[in-house]
Each structure stands twice: as structure tokens, then as C-alpha cells.
Amino acid sequence: MLTSSPSRRAVLAGAAAVAAVAGVPVLAGRARAAGASGYRWRNVVIGGTGFITGVLFHPRVRGLAYARTDIGGAYRWDGRRESWVPLLDHIGWDDWNLLGVEAMAVDPAHPDRLYLACGTYAQTWADNGAVLRSDDRGATWRRTDLTVRLGANEDGRGTGERLLVDPRDSDTLWLGTRHDGLLKSTDRGARWAPAGGFPATPSATGQGVTFLVATGRTVYAGWGDGGDTNLFRTSDGVTWEVVPGQPSGTAARVPIRAAYDRHARELYVTYADAPGPNGQSDGSVHKLRTAGDEWTEVTPAKPDAGSADTFGYGGLAVDARRPGTVVVSTNNRWAAVDTLYRSTDGGRSWRSLKETAVLDVSETPYLKWGEDEPKFGWWIQALALDPYDSHHLVYGTGATLYGTRDLRHWAPRVRGLEETSVTQLVSPPTGRAHLISGARDIGVMYHERLTSSPARGMATNPVSGSATGLAQAARRPAYVVRAGWGENGNGAASHDGGRTWRPFASQPGIAEDAPGPIAVNADGSVLLWSFAHWDGTTYPAHRSADDGATWSEVPSFPKGAVPVADPADPALFYAYDTATGTLFASTDGGRSFAARASGLPAGDSQFKVVAAPGRTGDLWLSAKRNGLHRSTDGGRSFTAVESCRASYTLGFGRAAAGAAYPAIYQVGSTGAITAVYRSDDEARTWVRINDDDHQWGWTGETVTGDPRVYGRVYLATNGRGIQYGEPA
């Protein structure tokens, strides 16, 4: 159980706990440019980088749109600034699971109303989901906790909206769940109960309801648990029936999305043989003339089961202004690359938009992925058409949101939307860049400016996927090394401070399947690389003294531990064995390790040891709820830091004026509040530097200060990118 944070929201939640059970909503807050902490918080701009699972234009308000993501919250489009406004940054440490948005809904009759169904995981270890509802377009929220789990970051997260305002009554809402059937609320989301009469039987492992859509006064529900019966409807909100004549077979196993052409009175449905976004190899598109229950298959192109060109269908949008105009997307089409198909005659004929597309990714260069030109996209399940502009079309990928105004020229539309899951941060003491970062999926980036996407894009040579390690030689900052999943080896070095990279000349065989954290000693002469597989299997660490040309095993290094270089003495390395609570040290440049302090907190692989810059043997151990511990003798002994009740991650930055010790930044707690703190007096006292409106869910991965700018701190989040704060 994570520690609670009695912020303004938590106090309200505690005071209203009994009321919330009875259905009275709990108040939530709004995001502001600067909070009560006296710090101004902004995103380090990368540009998108995550799976945008849904985009929703309001049908009655020009320019009003919302986006949902699988782990990074929800956003509202600000047309005046042409950027997205994050709506859930107030979500705190305890409620991290709510940053995944399963579904969203707007009320056509009340433009300021917005509803979100939140819950990242439906696994047994995750907390239950919640419905957030707003009367001011997401500026403030009221919350009702559910008794079921939602799965915004699980298979099927790119299906349609599972949340719907009933077309007959704005006070009635429907919520489709994965494993608990259909829920209904008659008081605008304050109370929820199972919807009576819904005929499908929930499964503990299935998809459940994949979408809810209104056609006039009738509500349709897609059902994703397989079989030939996967579409239901109700015309009175009480009695549900199977939609007659619905398509069957493998290509129509899972209904993905649905959209209604109210002019032609036709309901379009995209199908696939799996929920996606991965694992689809077949699919189809069908339309239903609702007046007579007449079905017509209108699939633009059939997957070729005998070749590599297999795919399903995902995104779907109809033109509110032009009858018979519809756009669909392929999904999981890796061989020929996914595309959008557009029809202006009700699906009788289609035109692929990919072949004529001109993609401009100059604002987010990483989208080239190390190649000359960007790909049109993948994981295309979010697709939306502006109801006021027939040529304004947007679609989401696994990394961005593309938009067009003429159906030919496309560019990312992700200003303000940052969804990266960040794992590594280094702030160099010298050089052109103040920050180098490593993240899941997009690897390593060199941030010459904090306010624009890195001009060089993601690190190439080799193209790097998820980063597992990033380190800089303390006394030779031009030398930086990285580890992670790559196309030409899983490790690389830079001799110009992270601007350019080259792969190691060789790598240990285990690095191919289990790249882990990497360290470089103070003068850059020795590399130490640890290895761990995603399933938890650990392997011996390896050492290189020739810039990665050759490697040798280090049997005495604790398997799976994170290597830490002493920032002043090139001969010293450290490693913390989290299984036994023992600090190991090497005095011979990483050739051998011996145990020093023991009996320290154990049992959690996320315990972290950080070395204070410019000092030998000054080590800090963040042991989560076991507190913060310090050693000034190279790990021979540790003393608990009394000012901290919990410490999850810790880093250092430029010292305050007149201070002899670097500023310390941590995510932890000094009492009951889990937050971001700074200490200017060697951890004797702390000041909280974030506030209730800037919490970003779980932030326990890594934090570091800027060694050149006092007060500036960089914070890794799991879904809201890199946040950086400065005194306001």
C-alpha cells in the first residue's frame, strides 16, 4: 500500500469518505501554471510519445475536443493556444492508477459537462476505478469511486468509448466494463449499479463492453468476449436485445468501434479478430441501416492471410456534415504500414490516404525513428473527424497524434500532450544540453532546449528503444553511455556529451535479451553493465576497460544490482543488493566486489543508492517506506536520516547561495505527505516544492537537480513525461 498524501483533495476525500460510499462525489482540483509551493512546473518538451487511445470532438461546440491516453491522463484542446491542457495532473501518489483513462463522454445538451472513467489496470493488485465528472470542461472535478476495476493500459484500450450519456436523459449514464458487465447511473455518475436486463455474461478474462454509441434514442453496445453475438441494443434504456443479422466469423470476432451517420441513418462498425492494439491479423468493416436492420459489408481491403500483410480494423469516424462520408483505419499492419481509408459514398468505394500524405514532423523530429522519412503510423485506433470541418481529421498512433486540414498535409498535434514513461535522467555539469533523458519505448534524447522537442530526435546508431541505463563520467562529462533495447546492439557510447552515439564494438551475449543498468567510473575508463530480464531473471554483471570493445564477467557483483560509480575516485564502484540489504563496494575499478554494510532494508528491487556529486564515499539510500539512509564512509556504515519518513528516489543539484553542500531533491515524505521536496542543508530540513495541483500520480523512478541552475529540478513521471520545476 502506498503512503497517502493529505493534500487538499485527500483531506476532502477523507472527510467525505462516508458520503462517497453513499454516492456523494468527492471534489478534485484544477491545474495551474504555478502552485502554492512557489515553484513553476512545466513539461520538458518531447512531443507526444505515448499511445493516444481516444479523441472526442464535442458535437455542439466548435473547436472543443478531448483526448485520452492509456497511462497519461486526459487533455482538453485549447484552440486559442493550439495546445492540449492536461486535466489530471492533480492525481496524487495514492491514486496513480487513475491516470489511465479507459473512456470519456460529453453531454451534447450541456457543453461544459465532461465525464471520465479512470483506471489503468484491471488486475487483482490494482485499485478499483473511478468516474470523474466535471461541469466546467475539466477545470474542477467530482469523483465517485467504483467497486470494479478498469483497464486503460490493457489489451483493448484502443476500442471505442465505454462511457455514454444516455440520448434520452442527461442524468443517465452508461459505463461498460471489462469484467463486470454494464453499469448504469441515473444521477449523473454519482451512483452506479449493474444495468438490469443486459444479456451478455461477464468474463474474468475477457474484454466485456468495447463501446457504447447512440443512434438517435437507441443505445448500442459492443461486446468483445468472442463468439458471433457481439452487438446489443436498447431503445428504452431497460430492455436489451441482440442486434439481428450481425456479421460473424473470425474477421468480425471483436467489435472495435462504432459511429453513426445520422443523415443516412446508418451505423458503421469496425471489427478485428482480437482487441488490439497488438495481435490482430484479420478484420472487417460493416454498416447497419438501423431502420430495417439491413447489414452491408463495406471492408476497404481484406487482410492477406497468406502473406505478411495481415491487420485488423480500428479507428472509425463519420462526417457530421456530409452523408455517406466515413473514415476507417487499419491496425497492426506492420508489413505494409497502417493507413486510413476514406469513402464518400457510404463505403461502396474507398481511397487510402497514406499514399498521398505529406508528413511534417519538424516539430517532433524523433518520429523519424532514425530514418529519412516518418512512417504514416501504427496502432491507429483513435480517429476523429471535426463535426464543423470535413477536412479536419486527426488520428492517434503509439507515439503521437497526427492532424490535417486538407486530407493531404499532416503534422503532429501534440503541443502540451506529453505521455512519456521516463526511466533515466542526467543533467550534465557542462555542455550545450542541460538534460539527457532515457524513457520506455523512445530511448535516449539529448535536450538542447527544454521548450522544444530535441532537434536531433531520439538517439540513433543504433536506434534505441526502451532505455535501461544512462550514465555520465563525473570527471569527464563529454563521455556518456547508455543501455537499452536497440537495433544494432543494446549499448552505446557518446564522446560529445550525448549529441552523437556509436554502438559498443561488442557486447556480452546476455545483453541481447536482458539489457540492464550501466555505470561509468569517474574518468570514463571503466564501464560496468548489469543484466536483468523482464521476467526477473538476473545475470552476472560485465566490465569493460576499453570503451566496450571487450567485456569480462564480474562474478562477485550481486546479480541484478544497479552499479553506482563514485563521482570522485575512478577506482570505486558500489552496488546495493536489495535482496539481502547489503552494500557491496569495489576498490579495483569494478574487477571485484566485497560486502560492506549489511542489515539494511531489503526485499524491494526499487531501493536506490545515489552518490553525492564531487565527493568520495558519500552515499544515500532511498529505501521507500523504510526511509532515507546515508553513508559518509563508502558504505561501511549507514545512518538513518531522521527528517524523512519515506524516500522513493533522490538526486542532487546546484547548491544554494552560501551553502557548502549540493541541493538535495527527493520524492518521499517527511510526515504524511508523499511529494517532491528540496533540502538546502544536507537533509536536516525539507521544503515541499510541488503542490496539490501538480502531482502526476506515481513519480518514484528518478529525480535530479540541475548542477548549473540552483532550484531547477527534473522529475521523471510514469505517463506525464519529464516535469521540470523552478522557483516561480
Side-chain angles (χ1 to χ4, degrees):
M1 179 65 67
L2 299 177
T3 57
S4 62
S5 174
S7 62
R8 179 170 58 91
R9 287 172 196 83
V11 171
L12 286 168
V18 176
V21 172
V24 177
V26 177
L27 192 64
R30 63 181 300 164
R32 294 190 295 268
S37 66
Y39 257 62
R40 182 184 183 188
W41 289 94
R42 290 168 286 181
N43 266 112
V44 174
V45 175
I46 300 175
T49 73
F51 187 27
I52 297 172
T53 52
V55 176
L56 184 62
F57 283 98
H58 197 285
R60 302 285 177 84
V61 181
R62 183 188 294 269
L64 179 58
Y66 300 95
R68 61 176 165 97
T69 67
D70 50 4
I71 63 171
Y75 296 78
R76 183 186 66 249
W77 178 251
D78 183 336
R80 186 170 62 88
R81 292 185 173 89
E82 293 192 338
S83 66
W84 293 96
V85 178
L87 301 179
L88 298 184
D89 281 358
H90 68 271
I91 296 295
W93 181 272
D94 276 358
D95 291 325
W96 66 267
N97 191 52
L98 299 184
L99 271 180
V101 181
E102 178 90 291
M104 53 189 175
V106 296
D107 187 341
H110 299 86
D112 292 339
R113 293 182 183 176
L114 172 65
Y115 301 90
L116 301 179
C118 299
T120 310
Y121 297 104
Q123 307 301 312
T124 55
W125 45 262
D127 289 338
N128 290 339
V131 171
L132 304 183
R133 52 199 183 106
S134 174
D135 290 325
D136 50 19
R137 305 185 184 187
T140 59
W141 295 96
R142 290 179 291 176
R143 166 179 165 180
T144 296
D145 292 322
L146 300 171
T147 59
V148 304
R149 298 182 180 91
L150 306 179
N153 194 35
E154 299 190 354
D155 286 348
R157 58 193 182 273
T159 59
E161 301 305 332
R162 293 173 161 98
L163 187 62
L164 179 71
V165 176
D166 191 276
R168 296 171 300 272
D169 178 9
S170 289
D171 289 342
T172 297
L173 275 72
W174 302 90
L175 173 60
T177 72
R178 292 168 176 266
H179 311 308
D180 298 278
L182 183 66
L183 306 183
K184 184 178 182 180
S185 171
T186 58
D187 54 8
R188 294 187 49 217
R191 298 176 178 86
W192 292 88
F198 190 69
T201 302
S203 164
T205 58
Q207 283 292 310
V209 177
T210 56
F211 62 73
L212 294 163
V213 65
T215 63
R217 298 175 64 83
T218 299
V219 173
Y220 284 78
W223 186 253
D225 285 358
D228 292 336
T229 302
N230 50 38
L231 196 62
F232 305 92
R233 70 184 175 199
T234 179
S235 57
D236 60 6
V238 177
T239 305
W240 289 82
E241 65 175 352
V242 175
V243 178
Q246 58 187 271
S248 61
T250 302
R253 180 178 295 157
V254 181
I256 303 297
R257 286 180 176 258
Y260 182 56
D261 185 336
R262 60 186 179 87
H263 300 290
R265 297 186 179 180
E266 292 176 331
L267 178 70
Y268 291 85
V269 185
T270 54
Y271 291 90
D273 58 345
N278 284 321
Q280 295 176 339
S281 60
D282 199 0
S284 60
V285 183
H286 298 257
K287 69 175 181 179
L288 170 68
R289 187 176 294 276
T290 56
D293 288 334
E294 177 186 349
W295 283 93
T296 304
E297 182 173 0
V298 292
T299 306
K302 293 285 189 180
D304 186 355
S307 72
D309 188 22
T310 59
F311 54 90
Y313 280 92
L316 172 61
V318 298
D319 193 328
R321 305 170 70 85
R322 299 182 178 182
T325 297
V326 59
V327 184
V328 300
S329 73
T330 63
N331 187 64
N332 206 47
R333 192 178 194 178
W334 295 103
V337 183
D338 281 300
T339 187
L340 304 182
Y341 288 104
R342 181 173 184 261
S343 173
T344 59
D345 56 11
R348 289 189 292 274
S349 63
W350 298 86
R351 178 172 69 92
S352 173
L353 300 182
K354 177 180 64 177
E355 287 72 20
T356 58
V358 178
L359 296 175
D360 177 6
V361 299
S362 57
E363 193 168 315
T364 52
Y366 80 92
L367 288 171
K368 291 185 178 180
W369 307 105
E371 300 181 1
D372 293 335
E373 298 295 334
K375 294 289 193 299
F376 191 74
W378 72 101
W379 280 17
I380 304 177
Q381 293 189 296
L383 176 62
L385 185 56
D386 189 336
Y388 289 89
D389 184 348
S390 297
H391 293 98
H392 183 199
L393 184 65
V394 297
Y395 70 92
T397 75
T400 193
L401 183 73
Y402 281 111
T404 183
R405 294 282 184 172
D406 61 6
L407 303 180
R408 184 169 183 266
H409 296 88
W410 302 81
R413 294 290 184 263
V414 288
R415 291 180 188 172
L417 198 161
E418 300 285 348
E419 202 200 346
T420 321
S421 176
V422 183
T423 59
Q424 315 287 330
L425 294 174
V426 169
S427 185
T430 61
R432 297 173 59 177
H434 278 255
L435 183 67
I436 309 171
S437 67
R440 294 181 175 90
D441 299 328
I442 61 169
V444 170
M445 290 195 174
Y446 178 82
H447 303 267
E448 293 174 277
R449 298 179 61 190
L450 303 179
T451 55
S452 61
S453 185
R456 304 179 65 85
M458 63 188 296
T460 57
N461 190 28
V463 170
S464 175
S466 293
T468 60
L470 180 64
Q472 185 172 45
R475 287 166 41 184
R476 184 184 159 198
Y479 188 65
V480 189
V481 294
R482 63 180 169 89
W485 301 96
E487 293 182 356
N488 184 27
N490 288 337
S494 172
H495 292 265
D496 56 11
R499 293 185 72 244
T500 61
W501 298 84
R502 62 168 178 77
F504 295 143
S506 70
Q507 65 177 26
I510 53 178
E512 183 176 349
D513 296 320
I518 193 168
V520 56
N521 69 344
D523 63 8
S525 61
V526 177
L527 307 179
L528 199 59
W529 198 353
S530 181
F531 301 97
H533 195 264
W534 60 269
D535 65 2
T537 305
T538 57
Y539 303 91
H542 282 65
R543 176 184 184 272
S544 175
D546 52 14
D547 197 23
T550 61
W551 298 85
S552 59
E553 185 176 315
V554 185
S556 55
F557 184 92
K559 289 183 180 180
V562 176
V564 177
D566 190 277
D569 187 344
L572 282 175
F573 280 96
Y574 310 98
Y576 189 68
D577 185 353
T578 60
T580 64
T582 303
L583 191 286
F584 285 78
S586 170
T587 59
D588 57 5
R591 293 180 180 86
S592 62
F593 282 77
R596 289 190 173 178
S598 60
L600 296 166
D604 195 316
S605 62
Q606 293 183 346
F607 292 166
K608 301 176 179 70
V609 168
V610 180
R615 291 158 170 77
T616 296
D618 191 351
L619 306 178
W620 298 73
L621 167 64
S622 289
K624 299 177 74 171
R625 288 176 296 166
N626 295 287
L628 179 64
H629 305 259
R630 185 186 182 189
S631 172
T632 56
D633 57 8
R636 294 177 178 86
S637 63
F638 280 83
T639 302
V641 177
E642 297 299 330
S643 62
C644 289
R645 186 180 65 82
S647 179
Y648 296 93
T649 187
L650 179 141
F652 298 90
R654 183 179 178 88
Y661 198 83
I664 308 174
Y665 300 90
Q666 75 159 336
V667 175
S669 64
T670 60
I673 299 174
T674 301
V676 187
Y677 293 90
R678 188 192 73 229
S679 174
D680 295 331
D681 57 7
E682 218 162 329
R684 287 187 291 274
T685 61
W686 299 86
V687 58
R688 184 185 179 190
I689 59 174
N690 72 325
D691 55 67
D692 292 355
D693 293 326
H694 300 85
Q695 300 193 79
W696 317 286
W698 188 80
T699 53
E701 189 75 49
T702 186
V703 64
T704 189
D706 192 310
R708 288 178 270 178
V709 182
Y710 167 70
R712 182 186 290 174
V713 59
Y714 305 99
L715 176 67
T717 75
N718 184 43
R720 278 290 287 122
I722 306 165
Q723 301 288 335
Y724 77 101
E726 296 179 301

